[in-house]
Amino acid sequence: MPLSQHIKAFRKRRISQPLLAKFRKVLPAMSDTEKDAIEAGTVWWDAQLFSGKPDWAMWQQFPKPTLTPEEQAFMDNEVAHACSLVDDWKITTEDFDLPAQAWDYIKSRRFLGMIIPKQYGGLGFSAFAHSEVMTRLSTRNSALAVSVMVPNSLGPGELLVHYGTEAQKDHYLPRLARGEDIPAFALTSPWAGSDAAAIPDSGVVCMGEWNGEQVLGMKVSWNKRYITLAPVCTLLGLAFRLFDPDGLLGDKKDIGITCALVPHDHPGVQIGRRHFPLNAMFMNGPTQGTDVFMPLDFIIGGPKMAGHGWRMLMECLAAGRSISLPSSNVGMSQMTVRAVGAYSRIRKQFNLSIGKFEGIEEVLARMGAYTYMTNAVRVMTAGAVDLGEKPSVVSSIAKYHVTERARVVVNDGMDIIGGKGICLGPSNFLGRAYQQIPVGITVEGANILTRSLIIFGQGAIRCHPYVLREMSAVQEHDQKVALDKFDEALFGHIGFAVSNGFRSLVSGLFGSGILGIKAGHSSQMRPYYGQITRLSSALALSADVSMLVLGGSLKKREKISARLGDVLSLLYLASATLKHFEDQGCQSDDAAFVHWAVQDALEKAQTALLNVYRNFPNRWIGAALRLIVFPWGRVFKRPKDRLDRAICEQLMQPGAARDRLTANCYLPDSEDDPVGVIEKALAATLRAEPIDAKIRDAEKRGVFDGRPAGNVRDVSDLAHQLDQISDEEYALLRERDRLRDKVIHVDDFPFDLGIAKTPYSSEPSASNPTKES
């Protein structure tokens, strides 16, 4: 026998076999729902970032997501027209719903069937097109966006496309595509919110009457809440746990989580009441049913798919997390940064645009960089779905970090516009976004849960090249096969950890440049690839040590796992930002956004790692990790102030960089719209600035001495009277002042805030303010 085989046999007997026996004792049995959750979806670029040595050639080859001519035409025409049909203030204070004209339009133009294949009458759009549409709608009104979002994300349409029987597809998909059926999907229960696998809603297989005949079916009881579109749905998707106590389907008593389609008018179905989600008027509400009998054919995919509901949900969850929520929050960010950037140029204090003050500059720069980064994440993640991926870890990263950064962007925007932002009214362009930001942070898995449990908990198992293989070997019943698999995975894991430890130490001592990473076409961005690789090695090493030392208790150490998840997430955000810059042709005007965003991500990743080491239960191991990874201390710094100024210059004036950053914004061409008037006032402000300079020069020369100008607005009148500016220049200033007054106007109302009727009562209500005419 060759020496290598003797060595392998020795290590199996002396090392792998005892460790395998120990692992079998300490590793708890995995339930079917846990197994489905871990194995659902695919790993993609996230696995490279967890590897310690990302394949940048692979990253470079990811295609740039683009729209087809048909999809672009839909964006330019149907999407723009749908936006024009809604008035956010009227929807949130008078109608409490989309106008009938908007509902009819989105149904007839198949907005609700974007993901349904053309063979069933849908639009058959790509994931990227879906993302582009949702981003633009979200810059206009949340009720419009959500009403389109839900039918195209996790729900009856997507589940039918992937799992429905041919009869179910032929019947329901054309109706869903045409908007004849409005879908909702009921998952969340009062006693099982984040722990959706533990839903208490249940069904029992039994005989019952259906269409005048005795058929095999199930009696289902449910109590659901937070179900979007439930109050107006005509087709309810329903998740429940199915039991078969009498063995009518086989030997298994607890069949498992099952998904069914139930018409809204089916006997026993209760819908119609509404929740009131922070003045967002999309339809959302509870649904109940008690012992509702339905035939087994109601199960999505038919009776053979009974009990497979959890895997179905896990595999399809990527759409909601990868597309819907990132897109809607990027739309909110784009609208905020475009409007607030312009406002910062229009609004003056101390005879200076407020955006030129360094305090505003610091905040506005962060808004711009975060919007660039989150849009990059949105685009890259949607592109992954179009490549056939179901990126479960990446979708969680996108959902959590895009919504959190949108919260920062909107909060920053409110700080800048001040009193105008806190007074609701038709001219307030940001108040509703500020109110509704928590909605995206809460749904599809609350962000605290997503950060502390899901990203690293799932990522460490799925993205790690050896952990899942080791776990699978432990579960293997054949002892010889188990030992062979475990031995191979174990020693691969050891080599993996050693290589990452060495790479971390060398790059820590001599800098990431020693790694020789070459990627991308922009020389000024090239150092970042080595820095991301260095932190990737540090993450892999830190994760391995944490899993080895803490074992199963790591799941309970949520702060440590959350920080390790933060590092993985921040590396994904940084690499997505660099990819977006590459795909857009390395535009020099965008470089400041990229530098700021990537430097911010790297510094935050460094801080997360240092906090892991500082709080590691074994302080000596924590200290050793810190010495290996950061032997010279902190190396990644916050973005410099000069980047703030470069970003603000782009945000406070029309230009290609501003247009690229906010490309999805719907821009009304009306000065009666709060966003439309800002665009017009910005253009007028820029035209007037040279004239303002002439007036200031006249003041310095003493032209106005002894002639009272009254206030800052009257000085233009005096300058005109003294022939310091022409009639044409004076007219420009007057027009600028008129538009500026509309922009900074704050709505006021009658003392009782107006009297109106709500749709819930025939009695007048004082809670619905209307603008005083």
Side-chain angles (χ1 to χ4, degrees):
M1 182 185 294
L3 179 60
S4 61
Q5 291 187 20
H6 279 291
I7 294 174
K8 191 171 184 179
F10 176 81
R11 81 184 192 195
K12 279 186 181 181
R13 186 173 63 257
R14 295 296 185 181
I15 301 174
S16 298
Q17 192 168 353
L19 282 176
L20 176 60
K22 185 176 180 180
F23 270 50
R24 279 189 162 143
K25 289 180 180 178
V26 300
L27 191 68
M30 193 180 300
S31 69
D32 289 340
T33 53
E34 287 176 320
K35 192 169 184 291
D36 286 345
I38 288 173
E39 295 180 353
T42 60
V43 293
W44 182 57
W45 181 241
D46 46 328
Q48 290 293 320
L49 294 171
F50 212 104
S51 72
K53 193 177 181 181
D55 185 347
W56 291 106
M58 168 186 170
W59 170 89
Q60 191 75 54
Q61 294 304 312
F62 293 146
K64 175 186 176 182
T66 56
L67 298 177
T68 66
E70 178 188 5
E71 291 167 344
Q72 186 63 61
F74 190 82
M75 284 287 295
D76 295 340
N77 298 298
E78 281 84 351
V79 177
H81 186 67
C83 289
S84 73
L85 296 176
V86 299
D87 180 317
D88 191 74
W89 178 250
K90 191 170 186 293
I91 287 171
T92 56
T93 59
E94 297 178 25
D95 298 337
F96 302 98
D97 189 10
L98 289 177
Q101 185 182 10
W103 270 116
D104 291 343
Y105 188 77
I106 62 175
K107 290 177 184 178
S108 65
R109 297 308 171 103
R110 315 213 170 189
F111 277 80
L112 308 188
M114 286 190 292
I115 67 167
I116 295 175
K118 290 185 177 182
Q119 69 187 87
Y120 297 106
L123 295 177
F125 278 180
S126 65
F128 178 60
H130 176 191
S131 176
E132 288 284 282
V133 171
M134 293 315 311
T135 305
R136 180 161 297 180
L137 295 179
S138 298
T139 68
R140 186 61 174 166
N141 171 259
S142 61
L144 175 64
V146 173
S147 299
V148 173
M149 177 196 306
V150 170
N152 289 289
S153 114
L154 177 62
E158 186 175 17
L159 293 171
L160 279 168
V161 168
H162 291 290
Y163 307 107
T165 66
E166 291 306 314
Q168 288 172 337
K169 292 178 182 179
D170 290 340
H171 176 74
Y172 284 118
L173 289 179
R175 294 177 57 83
L176 289 167
R178 294 191 297 266
E180 294 175 22
D181 271 329
I182 303 295
F185 189 76
L187 175 62
T188 306
S189 303
W191 296 102
S194 297
D195 187 11
I199 55 176
D201 313 287
S202 62
V204 177
V205 178
C206 62
M207 298 296 294
E209 185 174 332
W210 175 247
N211 289 337
E213 299 180 1
Q214 285 291 311
V215 300
L216 186 61
M218 47 198 174
K219 280 187 177 180
V220 184
S221 297
W222 70 92
N223 179 21
K224 306 285 191 178
R225 63 181 179 185
Y226 310 145
I227 311 307
T228 305
L229 295 188
V232 295
C233 80
T234 63
L235 184 64
L236 183 67
L238 186 63
F240 55 93
R241 185 175 290 276
L242 184 62
F243 296 91
D244 185 16
D246 297 328
L248 298 176
L249 294 180
D251 297 332
K252 194 173 183 180
K253 304 298 183 183
D254 182 354
I255 293 176
I257 294 175
T258 300
C259 297
L261 291 176
V262 189
H264 74 293
D265 54 1
H266 187 75
V269 176
Q270 299 177 43
I271 61 170
R273 294 186 66 81
R274 294 178 64 177
H275 298 312
F276 192 20
L278 296 175
N279 277 321
M281 292 303 158
F282 60 85
M283 290 293 170
N284 185 280
T287 173
Q288 299 90 21
T290 303
D291 290 335
V292 176
F293 181 79
M294 55 190 76
L296 293 179
D297 287 343
F298 277 25
I299 296 173
I300 297 175
K304 72 178 187 300
M305 294 303 291
H308 293 281
W310 187 243
R311 176 171 284 275
M312 292 160 60
L313 296 175
M314 289 297 98
E315 289 178 347
C316 290
L317 194 61
R321 286 182 172 164
S322 296
I323 299 173
S324 300
L325 291 168
S327 301
S328 60
N329 280 265
V330 167
M332 199 177 294
S333 295
Q334 286 192 10
M335 182 277 293
T336 301
V337 79
R338 187 176 183 101
V340 173
Y343 185 92
S344 299
R345 185 68 171 265
I346 296 163
R347 186 78 164 102
K348 291 189 175 183
Q349 295 283 272
F350 308 105
N351 207 29
L352 189 68
S353 292
I354 61 172
K356 295 186 182 296
F357 290 95
E358 288 194 352
I360 300 291
E361 182 179 280
E362 181 180 23
V363 173
L364 190 57
R366 178 170 59 216
M367 293 171 63
Y370 277 2
T371 300
Y372 189 98
M373 171 178 272
T374 54
N375 188 52
V377 169
R378 172 189 74 87
V379 171
M380 185 169 174
T381 308
V385 177
D386 280 329
L387 291 174
E389 302 290 342
K390 294 182 178 180
S392 54
V393 177
V394 161
S395 66
S396 296
I397 291 172
K399 188 270 176 181
Y400 171 74
H401 286 275
V402 171
T403 56
E404 286 295 337
R405 278 158 179 74
R407 167 152 58 183
V408 173
V409 169
V410 173
N411 283 347
D412 283 346
M414 287 289 286
D415 284 350
I416 290 174
I417 66 175
K420 180 178 176 63
I422 63 172
C423 293
L424 287 173
S427 65
N428 187 332
F429 60 86
L430 196 53
R432 292 303 188 199
Y434 178 75
Q435 281 184 304
Q436 295 161 20
I437 269 288
V439 175
I441 284 167
T442 301
V443 301
E444 294 282 9
N447 275 5
I448 291 176
L449 172 77
T450 302
R451 175 177 179 261
S452 61
L453 289 177
I454 295 176
I455 293 176
F456 182 76
Q458 191 173 30
I461 296 174
R462 289 304 310 277
C463 296
H464 197 290
Y466 297 103
V467 168
L468 188 58
R469 290 159 62 180
E470 289 167 336
M471 293 176 65
S472 298
V474 171
Q475 305 289 338
E476 176 63 53
H477 296 295
D478 186 308
Q479 295 297 319
K480 185 179 183 306
V481 173
L483 182 57
D484 288 342
K485 288 183 176 180
F486 185 77
D487 177 77
E488 183 180 354
L490 174 65
F491 280 88
H493 194 158
I494 292 171
F496 175 77
V498 170
S499 66
N500 281 311
F502 179 75
R503 194 180 302 111
S504 295
L505 178 60
V506 169
S507 59
L509 288 171
F510 303 106
S512 55
I514 199 171
L515 299 175
I517 305 298
K518 295 182 179 179
H521 297 99
S522 171
S523 59
Q524 62 175 316
M525 301 299 170
R526 199 149 292 156
Y528 295 135
Y529 300 100
Q531 292 164 359
I532 291 172
T533 299
R534 174 184 175 177
L535 288 173
S536 171
S537 298
L539 168 64
L541 174 66
S542 303
D544 273 333
V545 172
S546 297
M547 288 186 283
L548 177 65
V549 174
L550 300 176
S553 69
L554 180 58
K555 183 177 180 181
K556 298 178 182 178
R557 304 265 185 180
E558 293 180 18
K559 293 178 182 178
I560 289 178
S561 63
R563 289 164 184 148
L564 291 171
D566 286 344
V567 179
L568 176 62
S569 300
L570 290 160
L571 298 184
Y572 181 72
L573 267 60
S575 57
T577 302
L578 292 167
K579 187 68 169 69
H580 193 62
F581 184 69
E582 288 276 321
D583 285 346
Q584 292 204 318
C586 301
Q587 302 290 333
S588 59
D589 288 347
D590 295 347
F593 295 95
V594 180
H595 284 303
W596 201 106
V598 174
Q599 289 173 23
D600 178 73
L602 295 177
E603 192 272 339
K604 282 183 166 61
Q606 171 183 255
T607 298
L609 284 171
L610 289 171
N611 281 327
V612 169
Y613 307 152
R614 180 170 172 242
N615 293 281
F616 208 78
N618 186 313
R619 62 191 182 93
W620 298 109
I621 292 178
L625 283 170
R626 175 168 184 154
L627 189 62
I628 292 170
V629 175
F630 299 111
W632 309 118
R634 290 178 176 267
V635 293
F636 300 108
K637 308 299 183 184
R638 299 286 306 148
K640 291 185 177 180
D641 291 348
R642 60 179 175 79
L643 290 175
D644 293 352
R645 169 49 37 200
I647 290 173
C648 289
E649 287 176 356
Q650 303 288 4
L651 295 180
M652 293 197 299
Q653 62 184 342
R658 180 172 180 259
D659 288 342
R660 281 191 298 271
L661 182 69
T662 61
N664 295 88
C665 282
Y666 172 72
L667 302 174
D669 187 24
S670 169
E671 66 178 58
D672 293 325
D673 182 275
V675 175
V677 73
I678 285 178
E679 290 292 303
K680 293 181 180 297
L682 176 61
T685 296
L686 293 173
R687 290 195 301 269
E689 282 181 351
I691 309 171
D692 288 332
K694 286 179 65 175
I695 294 175
R696 287 196 300 273
D697 180 66
E699 287 182 298
K700 290 177 182 178
R701 290 186 283 110
V703 172
F704 304 147
D705 286 355
R707 296 177 176 84
N711 59 49
V712 69
R713 292 174 55 84
D714 297 333
V715 72
S716 61
D717 295 336
L718 184 58
H720 183 235
Q721 293 170 14
L722 297 176
D723 295 326
Q724 296 301 304
I725 57 174
S726 67
D727 292 345
E728 183 182 39
E729 289 172 328
Y730 179 65
L732 281 174
L733 291 180
R734 300 293 290 179
E735 176 66 3
R736 186 274 312 274
D737 290 346
R738 185 184 70 81
L739 292 169
R740 184 174 62 190
D741 287 348
K742 294 195 73 168
V743 167
I744 66 175
H745 171 71
V746 175
D747 299 292
D748 53 77
F749 305 94
F751 183 79
D752 64 353
L753 295 180
I755 300 297
K757 294 182 179 180
T758 74
Y760 311 112
S761 169
S762 59
E763 297 299 320
S765 167
S767 64
N768 177 18
T770 55
K771 188 174 182 180
E772 186 175 16
S773 59

